[in-house]
Amino acid sequence: MTTRTMILTEAPADTAAATDEAYPAKWIRLPTRGHCPHTGLSRAAYYELIKANRIRTANLKKPGALRGTRLVWLPSIMTYLDRFATGGTEN
């Protein structure tokens, strides 16, 4: 029986938002097509944010693999989007 190992890479800690109690602490996958059901962002918009180190991500891939599964930390996305919110009241 062979054991598979995964390599986890993520954005630098200083770009990762602290976990906010208002948002569920979970990793989400990028949408395959269309828009994300959690945020309404497209896959292209996510990759722009990832490239600019605006949100916390993890890339799960097997050693030697060229491709992996990109995951995004939901609280970091929501915290980033909150910076652009206007109006309303804070809880």
Side-chain angles (χ1 to χ4, degrees):
M1 181 174 184
T2 59
T3 303
R4 294 184 180 183
T5 58
M6 303 292 270
I7 298 172
L8 178 66
T9 59
E10 62 182 84
D14 60 340
T15 62
T19 302
D20 188 348
E21 298 290 328
Y23 305 114
K26 67 179 184 175
W27 293 94
I28 61 170
R29 292 183 74 153
L30 297 179
T32 54
R33 69 172 122 127
H35 293 87
C36 175
H38 302 284
T39 64
L41 295 175
S42 68
R43 187 177 184 92
Y46 273 114
Y47 276 112
E48 287 178 15
L49 294 174
I50 291 167
K51 184 176 179 180
N53 279 334
R54 303 278 185 199
I55 57 177
R56 185 175 179 194
T57 68
N59 188 18
L60 301 175
K61 62 181 182 177
K62 298 174 188 169
L66 297 177
R67 297 182 182 192
T69 301
R70 176 70 64 178
L71 300 174
V72 180
W73 186 242
L74 184 58
S76 73
I77 302 164
M78 301 309 283
T79 302
Y80 176 78
L81 293 175
D82 281 346
R83 290 192 275 167
F84 301 100
T86 58
T89 59
E90 291 187 24
N91 293 340

